[in-house]
Structures are given as structure tokens and as C-alpha cells.
Coordinates of all heavy atoms in Angstrom, one line a residue:
M1 N -53.0 -80.0 62.4 CA -53.2 -81.3 63.1 C -54.1 -82.1 62.2 O -55.1 -81.6 61.6 CB -53.8 -81.1 64.4 CG -54.1 -82.4 65.1 SD -55.0 -82.4 66.7 CE -54.4 -81.0 67.5
R2 N -53.8 -83.4 62.0 CA -54.7 -84.3 61.1 C -55.2 -85.4 62.0 O -54.4 -86.3 62.3 CB -53.8 -84.8 60.0 CG -54.7 -85.5 58.9 CD -53.8 -85.8 57.7 NE -52.7 -86.7 57.9 CZ -52.7 -88.0 57.8 NH1 -53.8 -88.5 57.3 NH2 -51.7 -88.7 58.0
L3 N -56.4 -85.3 62.4 CA -57.0 -86.4 63.2 C -57.6 -87.5 62.3 O -58.1 -87.2 61.2 CB -58.1 -85.9 64.1 CG -57.6 -84.9 65.2 CD1 -58.8 -84.3 66.0 CD2 -56.7 -85.7 66.2
P4 N -57.6 -88.7 62.8 CA -58.2 -89.8 62.0 C -59.7 -89.6 61.9 O -60.3 -88.9 62.7 CB -57.8 -91.1 62.7 CG -57.4 -90.7 64.0 CD -57.0 -89.2 64.0
P5 N -60.3 -90.1 60.9 CA -61.8 -90.0 60.7 C -62.5 -90.6 62.0 O -61.9 -91.5 62.6 CB -62.1 -90.7 59.5 CG -60.9 -91.6 59.2 CD -59.7 -91.0 59.8
A6 N -63.7 -90.1 62.2 CA -64.4 -90.6 63.4 C -65.1 -91.9 63.1 O -66.3 -92.1 63.4 CB -65.5 -89.5 63.7
L7 N -64.3 -92.9 62.7 CA -64.7 -94.3 62.5 C -64.2 -95.1 63.6 O -63.0 -94.9 64.0 CB -64.2 -94.8 61.2 CG -64.7 -94.0 59.9 CD1 -63.9 -94.6 58.7 CD2 -66.2 -94.2 59.7
A8 N -65.0 -96.0 64.1 CA -64.6 -96.9 65.3 C -63.2 -97.6 65.0 O -62.4 -97.7 65.8 CB -65.6 -97.9 65.6
E9 N -63.1 -98.0 63.7 CA -61.8 -98.7 63.3 C -60.6 -97.9 63.5 O -59.5 -98.4 63.7 CB -61.9 -99.3 61.9 CG -63.1 -100.0 61.5 CD -64.2 -99.1 61.0 OE1 -64.1 -98.5 60.0 OE2 -65.2 -99.0 61.7
S10 N -60.8 -96.6 63.4 CA -59.6 -95.7 63.5 C -59.2 -95.5 64.9 O -58.0 -95.1 65.2 CB -60.0 -94.3 62.9 OG -60.4 -94.4 61.6
W11 N -60.0 -95.8 65.9 CA -59.7 -95.6 67.3 C -59.7 -96.9 68.1 O -59.3 -96.9 69.2 CB -60.7 -94.6 67.9 CG -60.7 -93.3 67.3 CD1 -61.5 -92.9 66.3 CD2 -59.8 -92.2 67.5 NE1 -61.2 -91.6 65.9 CE2 -60.1 -91.2 66.7 CE3 -58.7 -92.1 68.4 CZ2 -59.5 -90.0 66.7 CZ3 -58.0 -90.9 68.4 CH2 -58.4 -89.8 67.5
D12 N -60.1 -98.0 67.5 CA -60.2 -99.3 68.2 C -58.9 -99.7 68.9 O -59.0 -100.4 69.9 CB -60.6 -100.4 67.2 CG -62.1 -100.6 67.1 OD1 -62.8 -99.8 67.8 OD2 -62.6 -101.4 66.3
W13 N -57.8 -99.3 68.3 CA -56.5 -99.7 68.9 C -56.4 -99.3 70.4 O -55.8 -99.9 71.2 CB -55.3 -99.2 68.1 CG -55.3 -97.7 67.9 CD1 -55.8 -97.0 66.9 CD2 -54.6 -96.8 68.8 NE1 -55.6 -95.7 67.1 CE2 -54.8 -95.5 68.3 CE3 -53.9 -96.9 70.0 CZ2 -54.3 -94.4 68.9 CZ3 -53.4 -95.8 70.6 CH2 -53.6 -94.5 70.1
Q14 N -57.1 -98.2 70.7 CA -57.0 -97.7 72.1 C -57.6 -98.6 73.1 O -57.2 -98.6 74.3 CB -57.7 -96.3 72.2 CG -56.9 -95.2 71.4 CD -57.5 -93.9 71.5 OE1 -58.5 -93.7 72.2 NE2 -56.9 -92.9 70.9
L15 N -58.5 -99.5 72.6 CA -59.1 -100.5 73.6 C -58.1 -101.5 74.1 O -58.3 -102.1 75.1 CB -60.2 -101.2 72.9 CG -61.4 -100.4 72.4 CD1 -62.4 -101.2 71.6 CD2 -62.1 -99.7 73.6
E16 N -57.0 -101.6 73.3 CA -55.9 -102.6 73.7 C -54.8 -101.9 74.5 O -53.8 -102.6 74.8 CB -55.3 -103.3 72.5 CG -56.4 -103.7 71.5 CD -56.6 -105.2 71.5 OE1 -55.8 -105.9 72.1 OE2 -57.7 -105.6 71.1
A17 N -54.9 -100.6 74.7 CA -53.7 -99.8 75.2 C -53.4 -100.3 76.6 O -54.2 -100.5 77.5 CB -54.1 -98.4 75.2
A18 N -52.1 -100.5 76.8 CA -51.5 -100.8 78.1 C -51.8 -99.7 79.2 O -51.8 -100.0 80.4 CB -50.1 -101.2 78.1
C19 N -52.0 -98.5 78.7 CA -52.2 -97.4 79.6 C -53.6 -97.2 79.9 O -54.0 -96.2 80.7 CB -51.6 -96.1 79.0 SG -52.3 -95.6 77.4
R20 N -54.5 -98.0 79.3 CA -55.9 -97.8 79.6 C -56.2 -97.9 81.1 O -55.8 -98.9 81.7 CB -56.7 -98.9 78.8 CG -58.1 -98.6 78.6 CD -58.7 -99.6 77.6 NE -60.1 -99.8 77.7 CZ -61.0 -98.9 77.1 NH1 -60.5 -97.9 76.4 NH2 -62.3 -99.1 77.2
G21 N -56.9 -96.9 81.6 CA -57.2 -96.9 83.1 C -56.0 -96.3 83.9 O -56.2 -96.1 85.1
T22 N -54.9 -95.9 83.3 CA -53.8 -95.3 84.0 C -54.0 -93.8 84.1 O -54.6 -93.2 83.2 CB -52.5 -95.6 83.2 OG1 -52.3 -97.0 83.1 CG2 -51.3 -95.0 84.0
D23 N -53.6 -93.2 85.2 CA -53.7 -91.8 85.3 C -53.0 -91.1 84.2 O -51.8 -91.3 83.9 CB -53.0 -91.4 86.6 CG -52.9 -89.9 86.9 OD1 -53.6 -89.1 86.1 OD2 -52.3 -89.5 87.8
P24 N -53.7 -90.3 83.4 CA -53.1 -89.6 82.2 C -51.9 -88.7 82.6 O -51.0 -88.5 81.8 CB -54.2 -88.7 81.7 CG -55.5 -89.4 82.2 CD -55.1 -90.0 83.5
G25 N -51.9 -88.3 83.9 CA -50.8 -87.5 84.4 C -49.5 -88.2 84.3 O -48.4 -87.5 84.3
A26 N -49.5 -89.5 84.2 CA -48.2 -90.2 84.0 C -47.6 -90.0 82.6 O -46.4 -90.2 82.5 CB -48.5 -91.7 84.2
F27 N -48.4 -89.6 81.7 CA -47.9 -89.4 80.3 C -47.8 -88.0 79.8 O -47.2 -87.7 78.8 CB -48.9 -90.2 79.3 CG -48.8 -91.6 79.5 CD1 -49.5 -92.3 80.5 CD2 -48.0 -92.4 78.7 CE1 -49.5 -93.6 80.7 CE2 -47.9 -93.8 78.9 CZ -48.6 -94.4 79.9
F28 N -48.3 -87.0 80.6 CA -48.2 -85.6 80.2 C -47.6 -84.8 81.3 O -47.9 -84.9 82.5 CB -49.6 -85.1 79.9 CG -50.3 -85.8 78.8 CD1 -51.1 -86.9 79.0 CD2 -50.0 -85.4 77.5 CE1 -51.7 -87.6 77.9 CE2 -50.6 -86.0 76.4 CZ -51.4 -87.1 76.6
Y29 N -46.6 -84.0 80.9 CA -45.9 -83.2 82.0 C -46.7 -82.0 82.4 O -47.5 -81.4 81.7 CB -44.5 -82.8 81.5 CG -44.5 -81.7 80.4 CD1 -44.4 -80.4 80.7 CD2 -44.4 -82.1 79.1 CE1 -44.3 -79.4 79.8 CE2 -44.3 -81.1 78.1 CZ -44.3 -79.8 78.4 OH -44.3 -78.9 77.5
L30 N -46.5 -81.6 83.7 CA -47.1 -80.4 84.2 C -46.2 -79.2 83.8 O -45.0 -79.4 83.5 CB -47.1 -80.5 85.7 CG -47.8 -81.7 86.3 CD1 -47.6 -81.8 87.8 CD2 -49.3 -81.6 86.0
D31 N -46.8 -78.0 83.7 CA -46.1 -76.8 83.3 C -44.8 -76.6 84.1 O -43.8 -76.2 83.5 CB -47.0 -75.6 83.4 CG -48.0 -75.6 82.3 OD1 -47.9 -76.3 81.3 OD2 -49.0 -74.8 82.5
N32 N -44.8 -76.8 85.3 CA -43.6 -76.5 86.2 C -42.8 -77.7 86.4 O -41.9 -77.7 87.3 CB -44.1 -75.8 87.5 CG -45.0 -76.7 88.3 OD1 -45.4 -77.8 87.8 ND2 -45.3 -76.3 89.5
E33 N -43.0 -78.8 85.8 CA -42.2 -80.0 86.0 C -40.9 -79.9 85.3 O -40.8 -79.6 84.2 CB -43.0 -81.2 85.4 CG -42.3 -82.6 85.7 CD -43.1 -83.7 85.1 OE1 -43.2 -83.7 83.9 OE2 -43.5 -84.6 85.8
R34 N -39.8 -80.2 86.1 CA -38.5 -80.1 85.6 C -37.6 -81.3 86.1 O -38.0 -82.0 87.0 CB -37.8 -78.8 86.1 CG -38.5 -77.5 85.7 CD -38.1 -77.1 84.3 NE -38.6 -75.8 84.0 CZ -39.8 -75.5 83.5 NH1 -40.7 -76.5 83.4 NH2 -40.2 -74.3 83.2
G35 N -36.5 -81.4 85.5 CA -35.4 -82.2 86.0 C -35.8 -83.7 86.3 O -36.4 -84.3 85.5
E36 N -35.4 -84.1 87.5 CA -35.5 -85.5 87.9 C -37.0 -85.9 88.0 O -37.3 -87.0 87.7 CB -34.8 -85.7 89.2 CG -34.7 -87.2 89.6 CD -34.1 -88.1 88.5 OE1 -33.3 -87.6 87.8 OE2 -34.6 -89.2 88.4
A37 N -37.8 -85.0 88.4 CA -39.3 -85.3 88.5 C -39.8 -85.7 87.1 O -40.5 -86.7 87.0 CB -40.1 -84.1 89.1
R38 N -39.4 -84.9 86.2 CA -39.9 -85.2 84.8 C -39.3 -86.5 84.3 O -39.9 -87.3 83.7 CB -39.5 -84.0 83.9 CG -40.1 -84.2 82.5 CD -39.9 -82.9 81.7 NE -40.5 -83.1 80.4 CZ -40.5 -82.3 79.4 NH1 -40.0 -81.1 79.6 NH2 -41.1 -82.5 78.3
G39 N -38.0 -86.6 84.5 CA -37.3 -87.9 84.1 C -37.9 -89.1 84.7 O -38.1 -90.1 84.0
T40 N -38.3 -89.0 86.0 CA -38.9 -90.2 86.6 C -40.2 -90.5 86.0 O -40.6 -91.7 85.7 CB -39.0 -89.9 88.1 OG1 -37.7 -89.7 88.7 CG2 -39.7 -91.1 88.9
R41 N -41.0 -89.5 85.8 CA -42.3 -89.7 85.2 C -42.2 -90.3 83.8 O -42.9 -91.2 83.4 CB -43.2 -88.4 85.2 CG -44.6 -88.6 84.7 CD -45.3 -87.3 84.4 NE -44.5 -86.4 83.6 CZ -44.2 -86.5 82.3 NH1 -44.8 -87.5 81.6 NH2 -43.5 -85.7 81.6
V42 N -41.3 -89.7 83.0 CA -41.2 -90.2 81.6 C -40.7 -91.6 81.6 O -41.2 -92.4 80.8 CB -40.2 -89.3 80.8 CG1 -39.8 -89.9 79.5 CG2 -40.9 -87.9 80.5
R43 N -39.8 -92.0 82.4 CA -39.3 -93.4 82.5 C -40.4 -94.3 82.8 O -40.5 -95.4 82.3 CB -38.1 -93.5 83.4 CG -36.8 -93.0 82.9 CD -35.6 -93.4 83.8 NE -35.7 -92.8 85.1 CZ -35.2 -91.6 85.3 NH1 -34.7 -90.9 84.4 NH2 -35.3 -91.1 86.6
A44 N -41.3 -93.9 83.8 CA -42.4 -94.8 84.2 C -43.4 -94.9 83.0 O -43.9 -96.0 82.8 CB -43.1 -94.2 85.4
A45 N -43.6 -93.9 82.3 CA -44.6 -93.9 81.2 C -44.0 -94.8 80.1 O -44.7 -95.7 79.5 CB -44.8 -92.5 80.6
K46 N -42.7 -94.7 79.8 CA -42.1 -95.5 78.8 C -42.1 -97.0 79.1 O -42.2 -97.8 78.3 CB -40.7 -95.0 78.5 CG -40.6 -93.7 77.8 CD -39.2 -93.4 77.5 CE -39.1 -92.2 76.5 NZ -37.8 -92.1 75.9
L47 N -42.0 -97.3 80.4 CA -42.0 -98.7 80.9 C -43.4 -99.3 80.5 O -43.5 -100.4 80.1 CB -41.8 -98.7 82.4 CG -41.4 -100.0 83.0 CD1 -40.1 -100.6 82.3 CD2 -41.1 -99.9 84.5
I48 N -44.5 -98.5 80.7 CA -45.8 -99.0 80.4 C -45.9 -99.2 78.9 O -46.3 -100.2 78.4 CB -46.9 -98.0 80.9 CG1 -46.9 -98.0 82.4 CG2 -48.3 -98.5 80.4 CD1 -47.7 -96.9 83.0
C49 N -45.4 -98.2 78.1 CA -45.4 -98.3 76.6 C -44.7 -99.5 76.1 O -45.0 -100.1 75.1 CB -44.8 -97.1 76.0 SG -45.8 -95.6 76.3
R50 N -43.6 -99.9 76.8 CA -42.7 -101.0 76.3 C -43.5 -102.3 76.1 O -43.2 -103.0 75.2 CB -41.5 -101.2 77.3 CG -40.4 -101.9 76.7 CD -39.2 -102.1 77.6 NE -38.7 -100.8 78.0 CZ -37.9 -100.5 79.0 NH1 -37.6 -101.5 79.8 NH2 -37.5 -99.3 79.3
S51 N -44.4 -102.5 76.9 CA -45.2 -103.8 76.8 C -46.5 -103.6 76.2 O -47.4 -104.5 76.2 CB -45.4 -104.4 78.2 OG -46.2 -103.5 79.0
C52 N -46.8 -102.5 75.6 CA -48.1 -102.2 75.0 C -48.2 -102.8 73.6 O -47.4 -102.7 72.8 CB -48.2 -100.6 74.8 SG -49.9 -100.2 74.2
P53 N -49.3 -103.6 73.5 CA -49.5 -104.3 72.2 C -49.9 -103.4 71.0 O -49.9 -103.8 69.9 CB -50.7 -105.2 72.5 CG -51.4 -104.6 73.6 CD -50.4 -103.8 74.4
V54 N -50.2 -102.1 71.3 CA -50.6 -101.2 70.2 C -49.6 -100.0 70.1 O -50.0 -98.9 69.7 CB -52.1 -100.7 70.3 CG1 -53.0 -101.9 70.1 CG2 -52.3 -100.1 71.7
R55 N -48.4 -100.3 70.5 CA -47.4 -99.2 70.5 C -47.2 -98.6 69.1 O -47.2 -97.3 69.0 CB -46.1 -99.7 71.0 CG -45.0 -98.7 71.2 CD -43.8 -99.3 71.8 NE -42.7 -98.4 71.8 CZ -41.6 -98.6 72.4 NH1 -41.3 -99.7 73.0 NH2 -40.6 -97.7 72.3
S56 N -47.2 -99.4 68.1 CA -46.9 -98.8 66.8 C -48.1 -98.0 66.3 O -47.9 -96.9 65.7 CB -46.6 -99.9 65.8 OG -47.6 -100.8 65.7
E57 N -49.3 -98.4 66.6 CA -50.5 -97.7 66.2 C -50.6 -96.4 67.0 O -50.9 -95.3 66.4 CB -51.8 -98.5 66.5 CG -52.0 -99.7 65.6 CD -51.4 -101.0 66.2 OE1 -50.4 -100.9 67.0 OE2 -51.8 -102.0 65.8
C58 N -50.2 -96.4 68.2 CA -50.2 -95.2 69.0 C -49.2 -94.2 68.5 O -49.5 -93.0 68.4 CB -49.8 -95.6 70.5 SG -49.7 -94.2 71.6
L59 N -48.0 -94.7 68.2 CA -46.9 -93.8 67.7 C -47.4 -93.2 66.3 O -47.2 -92.0 66.0 CB -45.6 -94.5 67.5 CG -44.5 -93.7 67.0 CD1 -44.2 -92.4 67.8 CD2 -43.2 -94.5 66.9
E60 N -48.0 -94.0 65.5 CA -48.4 -93.6 64.2 C -49.5 -92.5 64.3 O -49.4 -91.4 63.6 CB -49.0 -94.8 63.4 CG -49.4 -94.4 62.0 CD -49.9 -95.6 61.2 OE1 -49.5 -96.8 61.5 OE2 -50.7 -95.4 60.3
H61 N -50.4 -92.7 65.2 CA -51.4 -91.7 65.5 C -50.8 -90.4 65.9 O -51.1 -89.3 65.5 CB -52.4 -92.2 66.6 CG -53.2 -91.1 67.1 ND1 -54.3 -90.5 66.5 CD2 -53.1 -90.3 68.3 CE1 -54.8 -89.5 67.2 NE2 -54.1 -89.4 68.3
A62 N -49.8 -90.4 66.9 CA -49.2 -89.2 67.4 C -48.5 -88.5 66.3 O -48.5 -87.2 66.3 CB -48.3 -89.6 68.5
L63 N -47.8 -89.2 65.4 CA -47.0 -88.6 64.3 C -48.0 -88.0 63.3 O -47.8 -86.8 62.9 CB -46.1 -89.6 63.7 CG -45.0 -90.1 64.5 CD1 -44.2 -91.2 63.8 CD2 -44.0 -89.0 64.9
D64 N -49.1 -88.7 63.0 CA -50.0 -88.2 62.0 C -50.8 -87.0 62.5 O -51.1 -86.1 61.7 CB -51.1 -89.3 61.6 CG -50.5 -90.4 60.7 OD1 -49.4 -90.2 60.2 OD2 -51.2 -91.4 60.5
S65 N -51.1 -87.0 63.7 CA -51.9 -85.9 64.3 C -51.1 -84.8 64.9 O -51.6 -83.9 65.5 CB -53.0 -86.4 65.2 OG -52.3 -87.1 66.3
H66 N -49.8 -84.9 64.8 CA -48.8 -83.9 65.3 C -49.1 -83.6 66.8 O -49.2 -82.5 67.2 CB -48.9 -82.6 64.5 CG -48.4 -82.8 63.1 ND1 -47.1 -82.6 62.7 CD2 -49.0 -83.3 62.0 CE1 -46.9 -82.9 61.5 NE2 -48.0 -83.3 61.0
E67 N -49.2 -84.7 67.6 CA -49.4 -84.5 69.0 C -48.2 -83.8 69.6 O -47.1 -84.3 69.4 CB -49.6 -85.9 69.7 CG -50.9 -86.6 69.5 CD -52.0 -85.9 70.3 OE1 -51.7 -85.0 71.1 OE2 -53.2 -86.3 70.0
H68 N -48.4 -82.7 70.2 CA -47.3 -81.9 70.7 C -46.9 -82.2 72.2 O -45.9 -81.7 72.6 CB -47.6 -80.4 70.6 CG -47.6 -79.9 69.1 ND1 -46.5 -80.0 68.3 CD2 -48.6 -79.5 68.4 CE1 -46.9 -79.5 67.1 NE2 -48.1 -79.2 67.1
H69 N -47.8 -82.9 72.8 CA -47.5 -83.1 74.3 C -47.6 -84.6 74.7 O -48.5 -85.3 74.1 CB -48.6 -82.3 75.1 CG -48.6 -80.9 74.8 ND1 -47.5 -80.0 75.2 CD2 -49.4 -80.1 74.0 CE1 -47.8 -78.8 74.8 NE2 -48.9 -78.8 74.1
G70 N -46.8 -85.0 75.6 CA -46.9 -86.3 76.2 C -46.1 -87.4 75.6 O -45.5 -87.2 74.5
V71 N -46.1 -88.5 76.3 CA -45.5 -89.7 75.8 C -46.5 -90.5 75.0 O -47.6 -90.8 75.5 CB -44.9 -90.6 76.9 CG1 -44.4 -91.9 76.4 CG2 -43.8 -89.8 77.7
W72 N -46.2 -90.8 73.7 CA -47.1 -91.6 72.9 C -46.2 -92.6 72.2 O -45.1 -92.2 71.7 CB -47.8 -90.7 71.8 CG -48.8 -89.7 72.3 CD1 -48.6 -88.5 72.9 CD2 -50.2 -89.9 72.1 NE1 -49.8 -87.9 73.2 CE2 -50.8 -88.7 72.7 CE3 -51.1 -90.8 71.6 CZ2 -52.2 -88.5 72.8 CZ3 -52.4 -90.6 71.6 CH2 -53.0 -89.5 72.2
G73 N -46.7 -93.8 72.1 CA -45.9 -94.8 71.4 C -44.5 -95.0 72.0 O -43.6 -95.4 71.3
G74 N -44.3 -94.7 73.2 CA -43.0 -94.8 73.9 C -42.1 -93.7 73.6 O -40.9 -93.8 74.1
L75 N -42.5 -92.7 73.0 CA -41.6 -91.5 72.7 C -42.1 -90.2 73.3 O -43.3 -90.0 73.2 CB -41.4 -91.4 71.2 CG -40.8 -92.5 70.4 CD1 -40.6 -92.1 68.9 CD2 -39.4 -92.9 71.0
T76 N -41.2 -89.4 73.7 CA -41.6 -88.1 74.2 C -41.9 -87.2 73.0 O -41.5 -87.5 71.9 CB -40.5 -87.5 75.1 OG1 -39.4 -87.3 74.2 CG2 -40.2 -88.3 76.3
E77 N -42.4 -86.0 73.3 CA -42.7 -85.0 72.3 C -41.3 -84.6 71.6 O -41.3 -84.5 70.3 CB -43.4 -83.8 72.8 CG -42.8 -83.1 74.0 CD -43.4 -83.7 75.3 OE1 -43.4 -84.9 75.5 OE2 -43.8 -82.9 76.1
E78 N -40.3 -84.5 72.3 CA -39.0 -84.1 71.7 C -38.5 -85.3 70.8 O -38.0 -85.0 69.7 CB -37.9 -83.9 72.8 CG -38.2 -82.6 73.6 CD -39.0 -82.9 74.9 OE1 -39.5 -84.1 75.0 OE2 -39.3 -82.0 75.6
E79 N -38.6 -86.5 71.3 CA -38.2 -87.6 70.4 C -39.0 -87.8 69.2 O -38.5 -88.1 68.1 CB -38.2 -88.9 71.3 CG -37.2 -89.0 72.4 CD -37.5 -90.0 73.4 OE1 -38.6 -90.5 73.6 OE2 -36.5 -90.4 74.1
R80 N -40.3 -87.5 69.3 CA -41.1 -87.5 68.0 C -40.8 -86.4 67.1 O -40.8 -86.6 65.9 CB -42.6 -87.5 68.4 CG -43.1 -88.7 69.2 CD -44.6 -88.7 69.2 NE -45.3 -87.5 69.7 CZ -45.4 -87.3 71.0 NH1 -45.0 -88.1 71.9 NH2 -46.0 -86.2 71.4
R81 N -40.4 -85.3 67.6 CA -40.0 -84.2 66.8 C -38.7 -84.5 66.0 O -38.7 -84.3 64.8 CB -39.8 -82.9 67.6 CG -39.8 -81.6 66.9 CD -39.7 -80.4 67.8 NE -40.7 -80.4 68.8 CZ -40.4 -80.3 70.1 NH1 -39.2 -80.2 70.6 NH2 -41.4 -80.3 71.0
V82 N -37.8 -85.1 66.7 CA -36.5 -85.6 66.0 C -36.9 -86.6 64.9 O -36.4 -86.6 63.8 CB -35.5 -86.1 67.0 CG1 -34.4 -86.8 66.4 CG2 -35.1 -85.0 68.0
L83 N -37.7 -87.6 65.3 CA -38.1 -88.6 64.3 C -38.8 -88.1 63.1 O -38.4 -88.4 62.0 CB -39.1 -89.6 65.0 CG -39.5 -90.8 64.3 CD1 -38.3 -91.7 63.9 CD2 -40.5 -91.6 65.1
R84 N -39.7 -87.1 63.3 CA -40.3 -86.4 62.2 C -39.4 -85.7 61.3 O -39.4 -85.8 60.1 CB -41.4 -85.5 62.6 CG -42.8 -86.0 62.6 CD -43.9 -85.0 62.7 NE -43.7 -84.1 63.8 CZ -44.2 -84.2 65.0 NH1 -44.9 -85.3 65.3 NH2 -44.0 -83.4 66.0
S85 N -38.4 -85.0 61.9 CA -37.5 -84.2 61.1 C -36.4 -85.0 60.4 O -35.8 -84.6 59.5 CB -36.8 -83.1 62.0 OG -36.0 -83.8 62.9
S86 N -36.3 -86.3 60.9 CA -35.3 -87.1 60.2 C -35.9 -88.0 59.1 O -35.1 -88.6 58.4 CB -34.7 -88.1 61.2 OG -35.6 -89.1 61.6
G87 N -37.2 -87.8 58.9 CA -37.6 -88.7 57.9 C -38.7 -88.6 57.0 O -38.9 -89.2 56.1
Ligands
SF4_101 S1 -47.9 -97.0 73.5 FE1 -47.9 -96.1 75.5 S2 -49.2 -94.2 75.4 FE2 -49.6 -95.5 73.5 S3 -51.4 -96.7 74.0 FE3 -49.6 -97.9 74.5 S4 -49.2 -97.5 76.7 FE4 -50.6 -95.9 76.0

């Protein structure tokens, strides 16, 4: 995992996040979450990401730091894995 340096500029984008103040549980699946429950949660998270002004910064962070869990930048962990392997 490669985290950005502990400089405020590296994390400032999070101040603009559309998900700021949202329950983190909307973006991370529970161990026993399956099927429609998971699909409903992921669609709701992606809806928030769609209007997020820092979506590209969020996705870049998730790809750079190899975030293995949750919806980041509008993509699930599986979608980020596919994106990483394609490019
Ligand atoms: S893209 Fe989605 S997960 Fe990332 S900061 Fe914006 S709302 Fe949050």
C-alpha cells in the first residue's frame, strides 16, 4: 500500500467530498452482505459519488494506495481491480 505523504495538500480534496458526513457504512460492505442488499447499498453509494466534485482525486487515491475495500471514486473494489489490471 502506498499512502500519500502526511501533507495537508495531499488530503485537502477530502474536505470537498460529497460523502463527507455520510455514514461510512454506505460505502463499505459488511462481511455477511450479499445479493440485493449489497447491490442496493452500492448503487446508493455510487449515486453520491456521481455528483462528487473530487471524484477523480478520490479514485486516484484509491488506486495509488491499493484500497481493497469499499466504493471509492464511484467504483467498487472489483471495478478498481479490473481497471488496474487493464492498464
Ligand atoms: S467520489 Fe465518492 S467516495 Fe470519493 S469522496 Fe466523492 S463521494 Fe466520497
Side-chain angles (χ1 to χ4, degrees):
M1 182 188 318
R2 188 169 65 93
L3 291 174
L7 299 171
E9 309 86 67
S10 302
W11 299 97
D12 271 359
W13 60 269
Q14 293 186 355
L15 298 173
E16 316 258 340
C19 60
R20 199 167 157 82
T22 303
D23 176 7
F27 291 82
F28 296 93
Y29 71 88
L30 303 169
D31 284 343
N32 59 354
E33 184 184 60
R34 299 278 187 277
E36 189 52 33
R38 185 171 184 181
T40 298
R41 184 192 49 75
V42 166
R43 281 191 295 277
K46 287 183 168 195
L47 198 58
I48 296 171
C49 294
R50 196 177 301 163
S51 64
C52 182
V54 291
R55 185 174 172 177
S56 60
E57 290 89 339
C58 178
L59 180 57
E60 185 179 332
H61 164 78
L63 293 171
D64 283 353
S65 57
H66 294 266
E67 286 286 355
H68 292 296
H69 303 286
V71 173
W72 291 75
L75 298 182
T76 64
E77 51 269 51
E78 292 89 358
E79 291 166 337
R80 292 194 306 277
R81 200 173 306 123
V82 169
L83 183 63
R84 260 197 308 271
S85 67
S86 69

